[in-house]
Amino acid sequence: MKTYSIALLPGDGVGKPVTEAAWDVLQAVAKTSDFALAGTTFPWSCEFYKQTGAMMPPDGIETLRRFDAILLGAVGWPAEVPDSVSLHGLLLPIRKAFVQYANIRPHRLLPGVSGPLKARNFDILCIRENTEGEYSGAGGRVHQGTADEVAIETAIFTRTGVERILRFGFEQARARRGRLASVTKSNAQKHSMVFWDEITRLVSAEYPDVEVTSYHIDAMAARMVMAPETLDVVVASNLFGDILTDLGAAIQGGLGFAASANINPDRTAPSMFEPVHGSAPDIAHLGIASPIAAIWSGAMMLEHLGESAAAARVMTAVEATTKAGVGTVPGKDRTEAIAKTILTFLA
């Protein structure tokens, strides 16, 4: 029997209970499949930072490298640790070190869930470049604390980075409904975004079977609200993808339904799977955080590991749960009750 080694990083706040719930579901589906999951939990978090002065140990990346995949809960405790510290101390180093350049986020309404839009029949897969662009971290500040202070943040776009995320997006579109939307702001950003548009046209020649449309970020935001059913695969830079996927989470009913995967498509290092929602420390003690996004992320992990049948079983159980009215309204059902219902439908 194949055994997959999974690194569990529950993190902070609601990350802990939703990771526990997701792991229970994943273990349940594994027990009735022809594979096993072996999990190792690491306490790396803002609490860990307060104790040690670092979000993870110096050898944290090398420790994670030996695992088949990483399941993350949520990281952040802004009242105690600045978000810039937690993000640059854990999430971004993992994404960059393991070349997880494709961030995948599915946006669709689960049965029984009501979104804020009239449209219901949309199924959007957002592909966000995950390792460079606007989040490269290049820049600095000078004359700090004076009237002459200057802050510079430089977006870095490489041909390799842009080509590979676009090609990944085209492959996803080819496997789905054959439509790809490339998102830039090339009318205002005449260097980086014109560069992205040019590479989109070059790569599109390799995929004559995929219909390609280029949008400006503001027009895409409007389309996701006004006509989401017209979209299939959306590819965007790190910043634009970050913004659009939160909009995508909103139209699918909220962050509690928003799953994501940080993928290393070349499989030279582990990929990481996480719900999009934050740690929500203000409600962490209430027991009402929805585990659906974490469980959906776990299903994406199984899919990536090649266990498609098990992944489909998890999603079928999730959909049966929301169709039954459980977990459809944020805060209405307790974390344990949602997970228990999913496990019942999984049995």
Side-chain angles (χ1 to χ4, degrees):
M1 178 182 291
K2 173 70 175 179
T3 298
Y4 300 101
S5 59
I6 310 300
L8 302 173
L9 275 64
D12 301 296
V14 300
K16 297 176 181 179
V18 301
T19 300
E20 181 180 356
W23 189 243
D24 287 345
V25 171
L26 294 173
Q27 286 284 40
V29 75
K31 288 178 181 177
T32 54
S33 304
D34 58 354
F35 66 90
L37 298 172
T40 302
T41 301
F42 297 94
W44 306 341
S45 60
C46 289
E47 184 177 353
F48 184 84
Y49 177 86
K50 291 187 66 179
Q51 295 171 353
T52 67
M55 290 297 296
M56 62 178 167
D59 63 348
I61 293 297
E62 292 311 308
T63 298
L64 294 176
R65 192 178 296 276
R66 63 186 175 86
F67 287 89
D68 293 311
I70 303 164
L71 186 64
L72 175 73
V75 175
W77 191 3
E80 300 289 336
V81 179
D83 284 340
S84 58
V85 171
S86 58
L87 181 66
H88 286 273
L90 188 64
L91 293 183
L92 293 187
I94 292 173
R95 290 172 177 174
K96 293 177 180 179
F98 295 151
V99 200
Q100 297 170 349
Y101 66 80
N103 183 271
I104 306 174
R105 300 189 183 184
H107 302 297
R108 61 183 176 85
L109 280 173
L110 294 173
V113 176
S114 296
L117 305 181
K118 293 180 181 179
R120 292 194 57 85
N121 297 320
F122 59 86
D123 182 0
I124 306 170
L125 189 69
C126 279
I127 309 294
R128 165 189 170 190
E129 200 292 315
N130 210 31
T131 58
E132 54 176 48
E134 303 89 347
Y135 294 177
S136 297
R141 292 169 63 180
V142 295
H143 309 305
Q144 293 189 43
T146 74
D148 297 317
E149 185 168 1
V150 176
I152 296 175
E153 193 85 30
T154 302
I156 296 177
F157 292 85
T158 65
R159 181 172 289 273
T160 294
V162 177
E163 279 191 2
R164 69 189 182 187
I165 194 62
L166 283 166
R167 192 166 281 111
F168 183 86
F170 274 102
E171 291 292 341
Q172 298 301 308
R174 174 175 279 174
R176 285 167 52 95
R177 302 191 302 277
R179 300 199 306 274
L180 181 136
S182 175
V183 181
T184 65
K185 188 61 177 172
S186 51
N187 58 341
Q189 295 176 284
K190 65 180 183 179
H191 300 300
S192 60
M193 296 287 95
V194 169
F195 175 61
W196 183 293
D197 284 348
E198 290 172 353
I199 295 180
T200 299
R201 288 191 291 270
L202 288 173
V203 175
S204 68
E206 303 173 23
Y207 298 88
D209 53 323
V210 176
E211 177 187 340
V212 187
T213 308
S214 290
Y215 294 91
H216 290 149
I217 176 65
D218 41 357
M220 174 53 68
R223 179 167 287 270
M224 286 184 69
V225 172
M226 300 300 293
E229 70 281 356
T230 66
L231 298 169
D232 183 13
V233 174
V234 176
V235 184
S237 69
N238 216 331
L239 173 62
F240 291 169
D242 193 1
I243 295 168
L244 288 175
T245 50
D246 269 16
L247 177 56
I251 67 174
Q252 72 180 119
L255 288 171
F257 302 105
S260 78
N262 303 276
I263 299 295
N264 174 315
D266 300 326
R267 298 177 183 269
T268 57
S271 294
M272 180 167 61
F273 303 82
E274 57 173 319
V276 174
H277 62 69
S279 59
D282 56 325
I283 66 165
H285 64 291
L286 299 179
I288 57 172
S290 173
I292 288 177
I295 293 168
W296 193 339
S297 300
M300 295 176 74
M301 182 182 77
L302 294 180
E303 182 75 33
H304 179 73
L305 293 172
E307 302 297 342
S308 299
R313 287 180 57 204
V314 170
M315 289 310 300
T316 297
V318 169
E319 291 170 359
T321 296
T322 57
K323 187 176 182 179
V326 178
T328 58
V329 178
K332 182 176 74 72
D333 299 305
R334 297 188 63 81
T335 309
E336 297 87 348
I338 298 171
K340 183 178 179 180
T341 306
I342 293 173
L343 286 168
T344 300
F345 281 113
L346 190 62

